Amino acid sequence: MSKVLYFLLCFLIMFSPVYAQKSERIDPGYDFTKAKNICMDYAASPEIADGVRDRESQELFFKQMKANVADKLAKQKYKIDPIYNAKENFLNSEGADTKKYAKDITDEQQPLFEKFIQNNYDLLIKCIVSQYDTGKKQVEAHTYTELVPVTTTVLDATGQLQTITIQEKQVFNIPAGYYPAAFVQVRFDIIDTKTNQSVWTLDEKRDKVDETGVSNSKPGEVFTEVVEEFAASLKKNLKSRKPVGK
């Protein structure tokens, strides 16, 4: 296994504002351009496995990955399946009646299912969500400028009054305090099914603060942004990331 190239990014994005911490580890020796068959899996950490947050984040993950990856690569000889499709295909291959039985894998079937994944997919993507909450976040006093729409009335060339909307700079002064916020932490592990080794890991913690003081920030919105950015990076890697030096 070639040496792993490790990146650590820690930054504050003062827009919205969103605060993010991100770490990324990627194997420079892996040829992502040869991966055509991909399986996507989801897991919730015990911290959010309450039947509400885990279900919502799971549905969002598969929905966004379908829209941003599977559907867009479907005509380019890629096969990208959610784990439940892979399970159903496996059970069908074993002769199970998936209409009669639950579409899940028993402990006895697990080794065979892992072999099925290895034989039918190049990569396994595991999305693990460990935080999916709302709360308060302390913010230091600061000022920022933003373009806001302003409606005004002007005279046109014929002398008639017309109502138009323009973008005007406005300065916002934010006092220090605790503001409503949404918190998300997610880890993506991309595993080479043939070696069972991780070839790419992305771990991100992202907070979105509502400095208006009105609790409008939702973890689903933040999580969707994280998944969309991961999907964009995945497509880019699948198209162009070859082993370093080759």
Side-chain angles (χ1 to χ4, degrees), residues 165-182:
T165 300
I166 61 174
Q167 297 294 317
E168 188 176 276
K169 286 185 179 180
Q170 186 170 334
V171 177
F172 295 88
N173 296 303
I174 307 301
Y178 287 86
Y179 292 87

Side-chain angles (χ1 to χ4, degrees), residues 92-109:
N92 284 330
S93 72
E94 292 293 295
D97 184 353
T98 54
K99 293 182 179 179
K100 182 177 180 181
Y101 298 102
K103 298 177 183 179
D104 211 345
I105 308 299
T106 65
D107 292 340
E108 292 77 12
Q109 291 173 319

Side-chain angles (χ1 to χ4, degrees), residues 24 46 72 133 191:
E24 183 176 21
K72 292 186 177 180
D133 301 300
I191 298 168

Side-chain angles (χ1 to χ4, degrees), residues 29-190:
Y30 185 77
D31 190 349
F32 283 84
T33 65
K34 292 184 177 180
K36 300 297 181 181
N37 302 308
I38 301 168
C39 184
M40 305 177 296
D41 197 4
Y42 167 93
S45 294
E47 294 86 350
I48 72 158
D50 55 11
V52 177
R53 291 176 295 170
D54 52 344
R55 180 178 298 177
E56 179 178 302
S57 54
Q58 180 183 45
E59 291 175 352
L60 283 173
F61 170 68
F62 286 121
K63 177 183 177 181
Q64 293 302 320
M65 291 298 287
K66 181 181 185 300
N68 291 285
V69 181
D71 289 351
K72 292 186 177 180
L73 296 181
K75 295 182 180 180
Q76 301 176 41
K77 298 182 179 180
Y78 286 91
K79 181 180 74 171
I80 302 173
D81 291 335
I83 191 70
Y84 47 82
N85 280 4
K87 288 180 178 180
E88 184 172 359
N89 292 337
F90 165 74
L91 291 172
N92 284 330
S93 72
E94 292 293 295
D97 184 353
T98 54
K99 293 182 179 179
K100 182 177 180 181
Y101 298 102
K103 298 177 183 179
D104 211 345
I105 308 299
T106 65
D107 292 340
E108 292 77 12
Q109 291 173 319
Q110 188 61 36
L112 291 175
F113 179 60
E114 292 175 359
K115 191 67 176 179
F116 178 85
I117 293 292
Q118 184 182 63
N119 291 337
N120 289 274
Y121 299 96
D122 304 309
L123 291 175
L124 174 64
I125 297 173
K126 292 185 176 181
C127 172
I128 305 168
V129 180
S130 56
Q131 188 174 20
Y132 195 89
D133 301 300
T134 56
K136 298 275 189 177
K137 185 178 179 69
Q138 185 176 14
V139 175
E140 300 296 329
H142 62 279
T143 299
Y144 69 93
T145 302
E146 190 171 296
L147 290 174
V148 297
V150 176
T151 301
T152 186
T153 303
V154 298
L155 289 174
D156 62 17
T158 64
Q160 300 295 315
L161 288 174
Q162 299 290 338
T163 300
I164 62 171
T165 300
I166 61 174
Q167 297 294 317
E168 188 176 276
K169 286 185 179 180
Q170 186 170 334
V171 177
F172 295 88
N173 296 303
I174 307 301
Y178 287 86
Y179 292 87
F183 304 92
V184 165
Q185 185 164 5
V186 57
R187 176 186 176 99
F188 299 99
D189 282 324
I190 296 81

